Amino acid sequence: MSSGQSNTFEPLTLIEPFIEKKGGLMPALHALQEHLGYISKESIAELATAFNYSQAEIIDVITFYDDFRTKPIGKNIIRICLAEACQSQNCKKLLKDISSQLNLTLDETNHDSGITLKEVFCLGNCAIGPSVMINETVIGEATTEKIINHLEEDDA
Amino acid sequence: MLHKTISNLIKEESVKIIRNGSWGAYWLEPFIEIEKDGVRTGASYRNIDLTHLKTIEDFFLDFEKKNPFDINEIDFIKNQNRIVFSRIGQQDPLDINYYRATKGYESLITALEIGHQETIDRIKSSGLTGRGGAAFPTGIKMQTVFDQDVSTKYLACNADEGDGGTFSDRLIMESDPFSLIEGMTIAAYAVGASKGYIYLRSEYPLAKDFLSDAIDIALKNNYLGENIQNTDFNFEIELRIGAGSYVCGEETAMMESIEGRRGLVRSKPPLPAINGLFGKPTLINNVVTLATIPALLSDQHSEFSEIGSNKSVGTMPFQLSGNIKNGGLIETRFDITLKEMIENYGSGTKSDKPLHAIQIGGPLGIYLSSNMLNTSLTIESLEELKGSVGHGGIIVFDDSVDMSEQAKFAMEFCVKESCGKCTPCRIGSVRGVEIIERLQKNKASKEDAILLEDLCETLESTSLCAMGGMTPNPIHSIINYFPNELIEK
């Protein structure tokens, strides 16, 4: 996932391929977020014009979905699964441990370390829980140590 | 990681590395197999670091020390009846030649030869019911869409596998994506749709990569696109990615999302089969249902349809997970007992502590207690217990579980995931959490017990969809099957 800021950012060029598609708003939102890391104010204005929606309607859609955000977050996103199979494998304790280790609560971003901690409900890795997804990599039988090691490897 | 390490060791051309899909036997993974002179054996590389190895010969020596075995011979795999999941683990999931060599795309050719109605009739006669949760007869749904005299129709594949403890759709998409694409193509041909969507949850980025590649390969080989296999049938598939909303797995909310709106559920009727996506007749099925279709147009039809009875016909991919030693995908007949599932396949709890509860059918399913292990896993038997097989998830808990917390979670999940359209679901779930929190402090409160009962009844009878309507299911099961753990009687 790229979340770097770009100076030459043109929302319209990203949105363009989806304008004529039926129901193209969702893929357009994904494309914008993938590029910038979030949906910016100017993107919302461009989306409204492009899709013939009011800005309120665009915000209406964005705020419904957990994935979309209107503010930048960390470079590394840790999603900890809190669904039933992981509950049986003590994910609540893992969440507590990782929270204190990284000094982060759910939905919080540490802008120094560039890490955001989020909850997720099921990663489809339920037979070897607890599961955690770091960016796009799923880690089974997750421990605080495994998570930290993975973050360090990514940095290296 | 292991793939990279071993790849770096290979210097000669006589060794070829294949990235096969999962066998669905998760406790063995990463599982590495070596095929030499036609003999294939494998060994588990769980938590093993290979970075100290210098040459590929070192790796082979190390492999032999692990007493490699044929995975087809272990009870977990051998005792299953893999019809829909017959290819997973075998080969590179994107190898279309392997897919064809194992009867892949023969069923599409058959469908194009026998025509629309005969294709639907064969699916009807197979007895297949939807594997997404509602267990509606697949052939009848197809007939409804086919019978609509409208030129534009759609197919929507629901790949928003959101139930906690389920991963059968993910396995198909990552280990045998062509079976889904072929199933969709047959279904689209049968009902007369020329455009299909796959609505895939964003939590499955690997499935997204495999599906995108598989769609491209199918296009290049004329299994998708225009004039498929030199007929006048055209069909294209567009992959749409969800954005972290559970309720978008509900078919009407999914359609709203594909159309570019909030995932608010629609009232039914009209049925999607009559008035669905963009106002057109739409066939909606989940991944496993569609991936089952090719087998039903092949010589496996009778093998499939002769298993089981009533709604529970054919094989069901159960997904065994949670606190279990050998968790994974188990494709088997429906009428096996929970005991067989947990003891024979699962080998008991992972913690070795006593079993306490088993959740069946996802967040809207029910919890069974450890003295209900003789329960058969058929759709009918679970309906009798006021539950459902749902998408086939079975989650095991040992005796450290606090059932009042599980009841509270059912309401909390509804608070988080309700689309907000129906008041009982949107607000009732918040009140539900509060009542359960009070019960956690005083199990004997008659007042709160009655209030919770009333609230559940309101949710059940006044919600538009299963999210609100079935959230009480786990709570009722905890009250009924776990006396004194939430409410003192």
Side-chain angles (χ1 to χ4, degrees):
Chain A
M1 188 172 290
S2 144
S3 42
Q5 302 261 355
S6 163
N7 293 328
T8 55
F9 175 60
E10 292 274 354
L12 196 59
T13 51
L14 286 166
I15 298 168
E16 205 127 52
F18 307 105
I19 297 175
E20 293 303 315
K21 259 188 204 290
K22 284 189 163 210
L25 180 59
M26 289 283 283
L29 287 169
H30 275 299
L32 283 166
Q33 183 158 293
E34 201 166 308
H35 183 82
L36 194 65
Y38 67 104
I39 314 289
S40 64
K41 247 188 178 164
E42 60 166 333
S43 303
I44 292 171
E46 293 274 11
L47 284 164
T49 314
F51 286 91
N52 199 20
Y53 277 21
S54 71
Q55 289 197 34
E57 282 171 315
I58 301 288
I59 294 166
D60 193 48
V61 175
I62 292 172
T63 51
F64 181 82
Y65 297 96
D66 281 352
D67 285 2
F68 297 134
R69 45 190 179 260
T70 49
K71 287 194 174 82
I73 59 166
K75 179 168 75 78
N76 289 311
I77 304 170
I78 303 177
R79 291 183 172 83
I80 175 160
C81 176
L82 298 180
E84 295 91 329
C86 290
Q87 288 166 13
S88 81
Q89 293 297 295
N90 236 336
C91 61
K92 280 185 189 164
K93 186 179 176 295
L94 179 66
L95 173 62
K96 220 171 145 187
D97 291 350
I98 196 75
S99 288
S100 67
Q101 183 87 20
L102 298 173
N103 199 16
L104 277 176
T105 55
L106 280 178
D107 290 322
E108 197 188 358
T109 300
N110 181 326
H111 289 283
D112 293 330
S113 64
I115 296 171
T116 301
L117 189 63
K118 287 184 80 73
E119 65 182 358
V120 66
F121 292 97
C122 202
L123 296 165
N125 199 45
C126 325
I128 40 170
S131 301
V132 165
M133 187 153 84
I134 302 179
N135 301 324
E136 296 203 338
T137 307
V138 177
I139 296 174
E141 294 181 331
T143 57
T144 308
E145 198 191 347
K146 269 194 188 177
I147 295 167
I148 301 291
N149 283 345
H150 187 92
L151 288 168
E152 281 169 0
E153 273 165 27
D154 266 8
D155 269 354
Chain B
M1 272 307 287
L2 287 175
H3 180 263
K4 204 172 150 194
T5 311
I6 299 169
S7 298
N8 288 339
L9 296 176
I10 297 176
K11 303 275 184 276
E12 57 263 77
E13 281 178 8
S14 59
V15 183
K16 187 180 160 202
I17 188 159
I18 292 174
R19 181 76 174 78
N20 63 330
S22 166
W23 281 91
Y26 285 100
W27 78 97
L28 291 172
E29 294 183 0
F31 187 72
I32 301 180
E33 292 172 272
I34 292 182
E35 187 174 319
K36 202 180 167 193
D37 304 325
V39 181
R40 181 166 166 173
T41 54
S44 170
Y45 280 75
R46 273 177 85 75
N47 303 320
I48 289 175
D49 179 31
L50 291 178
T51 45
H52 62 283
L53 299 178
K54 300 253 177 320
T55 68
I56 192 75
E57 274 70 33
D58 289 348
F59 170 69
F60 288 143
L61 283 173
D62 180 76
F63 180 79
E64 285 309 321
K65 280 186 208 145
K66 292 192 161 51
N67 298 319
F69 55 90
D70 178 357
I71 193 168
N72 287 300
E73 293 304 315
I74 64 169
D75 286 346
F76 185 89
I77 300 288
K78 198 171 62 183
N79 294 340
Q80 294 192 34
N81 193 351
R82 284 193 173 174
I83 295 176
V84 183
F85 288 77
S86 62
R87 292 190 193 85
I88 65 163
Q90 309 271 1
Q91 269 291 343
D92 175 356
L94 294 173
D95 182 349
I96 197 163
N97 292 323
Y98 168 75
Y99 186 72
R100 278 189 290 225
T102 49
K103 301 190 174 173
Y105 279 117
E106 283 180 13
S107 297
L108 174 62
I109 305 297
T110 304
L112 294 171
E113 279 166 10
I114 61 178
H116 309 274
Q117 189 59 54
E118 176 66 17
T119 300
I120 293 173
D121 287 345
R122 289 199 193 178
I123 292 163
K124 271 189 201 163
S125 71
S126 75
L128 174 66
T129 51
R131 301 304 195 226
F136 189 82
T138 307
I140 294 177
K141 203 191 257 184
M142 292 175 87
Q143 186 71 55
T144 310
V145 180
F146 179 58
D147 288 345
Q148 304 309 307
D149 191 16
V150 177
S151 60
T152 305
K153 295 175 189 176
Y154 293 104
L155 168 66
C157 167
N158 187 342
D160 195 61
E161 185 176 51
D163 283 3
T166 63
F167 43 85
S168 57
D169 291 352
R170 182 166 87 95
L171 262 180
I172 285 286
M173 295 185 283
E174 292 178 7
S175 287
D176 190 15
F178 292 119
S179 68
L180 170 62
I181 293 171
E182 184 183 2
M184 284 180 73
T185 313
I186 295 169
Y189 168 73
V191 302
S194 55
K195 167 107 191 190
Y197 291 93
I198 300 177
Y199 187 82
L200 175 68
R201 65 200 298 256
S202 62
E203 291 85 349
Y204 287 177
L206 192 61
K208 178 186 165 191
D209 293 346
F210 274 102
L211 282 176
S212 310
D213 289 350
I215 290 169
D216 285 346
I217 295 167
L219 258 171
K220 283 193 187 99
N221 286 275
N222 191 229
Y223 291 115
L224 283 175
E226 303 211 331
N227 301 108
I228 290 172
Q229 300 302 303
N230 304 316
T231 63
D232 59 4
F233 173 52
N234 306 326
F235 181 57
E236 59 165 334
I237 295 179
E238 189 179 329
L239 187 56
R240 284 291 175 89
I241 308 300
S245 161
Y246 173 78
V247 81
C248 285
E250 197 280 335
E251 60 181 6
T252 62
M254 180 183 81
M255 293 192 293
E256 289 288 311
S257 187
I258 293 175
E259 291 180 12
R261 287 191 290 274
R262 291 163 76 92
L264 296 189
V265 302
R266 299 179 188 170
S267 55
K268 286 190 280 191
L271 291 173
I274 294 165
N275 184 335
L277 260 182
F278 308 109
K280 303 293 181 189
T282 306
L283 180 71
I284 303 179
N285 282 120
N286 91 317
V287 172
V288 169
T289 314
L290 289 162
T292 304
I293 287 176
L296 306 180
L297 293 180
S298 76
D299 52 10
Q300 285 179 303
H301 180 282
S302 55
E303 185 189 350
F304 185 91
S305 61
E306 280 163 17
I307 301 171
S309 58
N310 298 321
K311 279 192 203 168
S312 310
V313 168
T315 55
M316 175 73 199
F318 290 102
Q319 301 122 77
L320 185 58
S321 74
N323 194 327
I324 190 87
K325 273 205 188 76
N326 299 350
L329 181 110
I330 296 149
E331 183 180 354
T332 172
R333 52 195 305 130
F334 281 91
D335 62 343
I336 85 164
T337 63
L338 200 46
K339 189 180 166 74
E340 286 175 85
M341 188 58 83
I342 291 171
E343 292 177 5
N344 301 359
Y345 284 105
S347 300
T349 59
K350 195 173 184 175
S351 59
D352 280 321
K353 288 166 76 177
L355 179 71
H356 189 71
I358 307 102
Q359 188 196 34
I360 301 179
L364 310 176
I366 55 172
Y367 287 92
L368 302 188
S369 72
S370 55
N371 57 23
M372 299 168 83
L373 293 183
N374 290 324
T375 305
S376 156
L377 293 170
T378 61
I379 293 170
E380 293 75 16
S381 128
L382 285 158
E383 272 173 4
E384 264 174 48
L385 296 171
K386 298 204 162 42
S388 75
V389 173
H391 189 48
I394 300 174
I395 305 176
V396 176
F397 294 79
D398 72 11
D399 65 356
S400 63
V401 66
D402 174 349
M403 295 312 289
S404 73
E405 280 293 306
Q406 298 312 115
K408 191 171 91 178
F409 176 72
M411 285 292 184
E412 284 173 342
F413 190 66
C414 190
V415 173
K416 283 180 206 288
E417 301 298 343
S418 172
C419 80
K421 185 157 180 163
C422 310
T423 314
C425 178
R426 182 183 70 243
I427 295 173
S429 54
V430 178
R431 296 289 94 85
V433 173
E434 292 164 1
I435 298 170
I436 293 172
E437 278 173 349
R438 288 202 298 272
L439 282 164
Q440 285 181 317
K441 290 187 191 115
N442 178 16
K443 281 184 201 174
S445 163
K446 284 270 173 306
E447 196 188 340
D448 283 321
I450 294 167
L451 207 51
L452 183 61
E453 195 55 50
D454 275 358
L455 176 67
C456 284
E457 206 185 302
T458 310
L459 273 165
E460 277 168 353
S461 45
T462 56
S463 304
L464 269 180
C465 82
M467 178 87 238
M470 288 169 72
T471 286
N473 287 359
I475 295 165
H476 279 144
S477 69
I478 292 169
I479 295 171
N480 293 331
Y481 308 139
F482 299 85
N484 303 324
E485 294 191 38
L486 173 64
I487 291 173
E488 217 159 76
K489 286 190 177 166

